[in-house]
Structure formats: C-alpha cells, structure tokens
Amino acid sequence: MKRLILSIAALGMTAVASAQEAITPDVLRLLQAGEASSSVADKALRNAMARTSVAVLASDMSALQMGDTHFTYEVPVRSVTDQQSSGRCWLFTGMNVLRHKAARMHNMRDLELSQVYLFFWDQLEKSNLFLQGVIDTRNLPMDDRLVDWLFQNPLSDGGTFCGVYDLARKYGVVPREAMPETYSSNHTAQISMLLKWKLREMALRYRTMGEEGKSLRQIEAQKVEDLKTVWHILTLAYGVPPATFTWTQRDDKDKVVSSREYTPQEFYETFMDTSADYVMVMNDPLREYYKVYEIDYDRHTYDGRNWTYLNLPADEIKPLAVASLRDTVAMYFSCDVGKYLNRENGTLDLRNFDYESLLGTTFGMNKRERILTHASASSHAMTLIGVDIDTLTNRIEKWEIENSWGKTSGWNGKLIMTDPWFDEYMFRLVIDTRYVPAKYLDMYRQKPIRLPAWDPLFASGDE
C-alpha cells in the first residue's frame, strides 16, 4: 500500500512538472482568463496596433521636438555622404575622419574620398584572410569552434576603423572622382552573397587537399590562383582600382592650387595626416576596466592588426572626446543606433519612445545584461563632430554626429544624441593620441587579452 502511494505521488509530481514545462490546457486557461479581463484601453490599443507601427504609438510627444541645435564645440561638416544599401558605415566614417582633417590642413572647401576604392581592397584582403585562416586550421575538425566560425563568416561588408587605418596605409586613398561608386558598391548584398559561396567552395577544397596529403606550399599556390577569380569578380562589380590619376586641388575659395598626377600612395602621403596615431577606447561592461583587449580574427588584412581597445568607463571616455572636439578634430564613433532613434527629427534619446506605457511592462536590463544576452551591440559607425556643454554646470547636454545615410536622413544628414543615450548605447570611440592623456596611453601598451571572434559584444545586436 505504501509503495502504491509513493507511485501516485511520483505521478503527481510528473503532472505538475509537465504543467510547468509545457503550455497545457490549464496554463492556457489561465492566460485566456487574464486577457478576458483586459480594459477598454487595451481594446483600443489592440485596434490601433493592428494598423499602426509600434514606434508611432510609443512616440513620446514631449520628446518629438528636436530641440536646440547649438553646440559648444563643432567640426564643420562639408558634403554629406551616403552609403546607400551597404554595410560600409565603418568605411564612410573612417574616410570622413580622414577627409575632415585633410580639408582643414590644406585649406580646402571640401574633399570626398573614394569609398569604393578602399572597399575593393578590403574585399580582396578579407577574402585572403578567410582563405588563409582555413589553410591555417586545415588540420582541425570541421566542428571545431574556430573552423565553424570561419565558414560562417567568410566575408562581410562591415568593419572597423582598424581596417580603414591598415588599408589606407597599405594602398593609399584616392578622391571620389578617381574611382566613383557603382551600383554593386551601393548595393553590396548580391555580390557579397556570391563571393561567400565561392570562398567557401575554395576553402573546402583546401581542406580536401590537406586530407589528400598535398603540401602547404601546394595549397597556398592554389589559394593564389583562386584569388585571381576573386580579383576578377571584384573588378566587374566595383571597377579597376586606378594605379595613377590626375587631380586638381582647390582652396576654400575654389581657386586652383595645383593640378598633377598622383598614385594612390602619393595622394595619401600628400594630403592625409600621416603623423596621426589612434587609440580605440571602448565601454565594455562585460570586461574589467583599464585593461586592453583584442578580438581574434577581427581585422581586415592577414598582415594587419586585430581590433584592439582599451576598456574604460563611459565617464572617462567623454573628456577625451571633448578634448578632440575642442580642437575641431572629428572621431570615429560606433553605437547601437537602432535603439530609441527617431528618424524624423534625427535624435537619439531614451525618451523618444515609451514602450513600457504602451505595452504595460518594463524593459529593465542594464547595458551589461543587454550585451550578455545579445540584446545590444555596436551596429553602426558614425562620425562624432560636436558637443554641447552647459556653461554654468559644465555638464554635457548633447552630442552631434555626422551620419552616412544621405542629406535627407535625420537633421541635414546628422543626428543629435543626448548624453544619457551616450551612456547606454555608445560602444567605441577612436581618438587621435594627441588628445589622450599619458596614463591611458601607458595602459594601452599592455599586452592585450585576446577574446574569441564570437564574443557576444562583437556579434550583431537587434536593430
């Protein structure tokens, strides 16, 4: 009898567990009962949401106005760029930093650099980085974490300032007129997809060659042959990079200063600030502050530098940015742009959307928790060009950003970011070492702690 009671008790425990683990009829009745008691306001919201965007309904009327557009320190913006349907924000942003400096140094009204020129070399270098990475790991099993990551990520049109820095120093730069954009450079998805197909096919062949006993020299010789195919595809999609070109320099009064022939490397040496060096600082609450980290395989060229950054609290990053802006020097800036962005007035403000009142719940994760759960990560690079500081309290009120979504986006192609938004969704800033105190430069000389390529902070966040 006692044994029977134990069996019944065990069955009861199983039934309870099942009720908790699955949506059973009893659980469903509880959910339906809660909805049956919903208010008239809930019914009105349900009707509204059936035909209206959640973002529209959650818009906070008190935050709709763009507000004051004055900035205490501001870098003059010249022509607004447009990356169109491509993930090249990192490249447009990096080129904006370079061209703003060049225009100021040489008293030019404007200078737009060719983004597609460096993008061509970026795609060739990334192809080689992937193919060589597969060769280097050819003796590891296919389900090894790194091998699997490589085949998942053979190529992308995304990147970081490290890529701009390494590519420009290796291949030089050219003005936009010397290599103009093409349809495929403005719409990268199709060519990127086809290149990834081909690169995976090539890489799989190298692993087969290794299994067949082919030497490393034979495999790498095959890689060079395969890169000829990649080169051909890139020239068809993006054009042939010019070896030389003629360009006329004009001053800010549109007067001709000079007209001559350049190579891309000569143009870089002549007009860019080649003496500048940079430090990437990051606000990464997952990691210990005041340490240097690098991301494995997060570089654009096989012989380049991994993405390396000094991790600092946000409040210690801001004075560095202000110091740069005081001297009218723009900075590469990246953030989770999709969060609380009002595209109509061009503001990044935590008050823009009241999702909690609309949906009757809270969204309480902090920055660290959002990164850890893949709810937030850096999704877009832009150029930080201005800051507004309250003269009485010395408190930062807002920041100004030059975007690369064209003139009609945001506020004349720019965005205004509140300081609280900066705290929550800013991730990294690249600053000229001239504006970085010695104590941080000393920290930056630490041996980096290497993080894996699949680290949560460097995966794409929700947009």
Side-chain angles (χ1 to χ4, degrees), residues 92-307:
F92 278 70
T93 299
M95 301 291 258
N96 282 341
V97 170
L98 295 181
R99 75 187 181 108
H100 287 327
K101 274 192 173 185
R104 188 180 71 163
M105 286 168 57
H106 300 280
N107 194 33
M108 291 185 281
R109 178 182 296 178
D110 197 12
L111 170 65
E112 187 169 348
L113 301 172
S114 171
Q115 292 87 9
V116 69
Y117 172 77
L118 273 196
F119 187 62
F120 178 99
W121 297 114
D122 170 72
Q123 297 294 278
L124 181 68
E125 288 281 1
K126 281 180 182 169
S127 297
N128 180 67
L129 175 63
F130 164 68
L131 294 176
Q132 190 61 45
V134 170
I135 292 173
D136 292 345
T137 59
R138 66 192 182 283
N139 294 323
L140 297 175
M142 276 293 288
D143 60 358
D144 176 83
R145 186 72 184 269
L146 178 56
V147 174
D148 183 65
W149 183 87
L150 284 168
F151 275 92
Q152 282 186 346
N153 303 275
L155 187 77
S156 79
D157 58 0
T160 70
F161 186 79
C162 301
V164 179
Y165 188 84
D166 287 340
L167 292 165
R169 291 196 167 215
K170 187 170 184 177
Y171 295 104
V173 296
V174 304
R176 185 181 177 90
E177 306 94 291
M179 190 171 177
E181 295 285 313
T182 70
Y183 178 87
S184 291
S185 67
N186 285 325
H187 306 81
T188 53
Q190 288 182 319
I191 292 298
S192 180
M193 176 190 70
L194 294 169
L195 267 176
K196 284 189 283 189
W197 284 3
K198 194 63 186 174
L199 288 169
R200 290 182 175 114
E201 176 188 322
M202 294 168 176
L204 202 58
R205 181 163 62 239
Y206 304 158
R207 292 181 62 88
T208 301
M209 290 174 69
E211 292 168 0
E212 293 172 348
K214 296 292 193 299
S215 69
L216 176 59
R217 185 173 181 178
Q218 288 174 303
I219 297 173
E220 291 186 339
Q222 180 62 53
K223 185 196 73 171
V224 174
E225 287 299 311
D226 289 340
L227 286 174
K228 292 179 182 178
T229 299
V230 174
W231 174 277
H232 181 63
I233 293 171
L234 293 176
T235 60
L236 295 176
Y238 306 130
V240 179
T244 61
F245 59 92
T246 299
W247 186 73
T248 300
Q249 179 186 356
R250 297 176 182 273
D251 64 16
D252 62 351
K253 301 290 192 298
D254 206 32
K255 181 180 178 181
V256 173
V257 175
S258 67
S259 184
R260 52 161 285 201
E261 186 177 76
Y262 299 90
T263 67
Q265 289 81 3
E266 287 172 343
F267 192 81
Y268 176 79
E269 293 289 336
T270 302
F271 293 105
M272 302 300 113
D273 184 5
T274 56
S275 64
D277 201 5
Y278 300 90
V279 169
M280 183 182 290
V281 293
M282 194 149 185
N283 179 236
D284 176 2
L286 285 180
R287 315 290 173 193
E288 185 180 352
Y289 288 131
Y290 312 111
K291 298 290 185 183
V292 176
Y293 301 86
E294 69 170 316
I295 315 305
D296 196 20
Y297 272 97
D298 205 323
R299 59 188 188 273
H300 292 240
T301 68
Y302 190 82
D303 53 349
R305 300 181 301 174
N306 279 331
W307 175 0

Side-chain angles (χ1 to χ4, degrees), residues 26-61:
D26 287 341
V27 171
L28 192 58
R29 279 190 288 272
L30 288 172
L31 301 179
Q32 291 168 334
E35 192 58 37
S37 63
S38 61
S39 66
V40 173
D42 286 337
K43 182 179 179 181
L45 276 176
R46 189 178 299 113
N47 291 336
M49 289 177 69
R51 296 181 177 275
T52 311
S53 159
V54 170
V56 171
L57 294 173
S59 295
D60 190 330
M61 293 299 294

Side-chain angles (χ1 to χ4, degrees), residues 72-76 78 97 100-101 104-105 273 319-331 384-387 389 431-436:
T72 310
Y73 306 108
E74 187 176 25
V75 178
R78 295 165 173 86
V97 170
H100 287 327
K101 274 192 173 185
R104 188 180 71 163
M105 286 168 57
D273 184 5
L320 311 184
V322 171
S324 183
L325 293 172
R326 279 179 184 270
D327 201 25
T328 62
V329 174
M331 287 157 285
L384 189 61
I385 60 168
V387 63
I389 302 174
I431 307 178
D432 190 317
T433 53
R434 297 175 180 123
Y435 310 106
V436 180

Side-chain angles (χ1 to χ4, degrees), residues 385-429:
I385 60 168
V387 63
D388 188 34
I389 302 174
D390 187 296
T391 54
L392 296 177
T393 64
N394 204 35
R395 184 181 66 186
I396 295 173
E397 297 290 337
K398 61 184 182 295
W399 303 82
E400 183 181 13
I401 306 171
E402 178 186 4
N403 204 354
S404 55
W405 291 347
K407 292 181 180 180
T408 59
S409 171
W411 165 54
N412 298 324
K414 296 178 287 186
L415 298 177
I416 294 176
M417 167 179 59
T418 65
D419 196 53
W421 194 97
F422 182 106
D423 290 333
E424 295 296 324
Y425 294 107
M426 177 280 303
F427 284 101
R428 56 185 177 266
L429 196 64

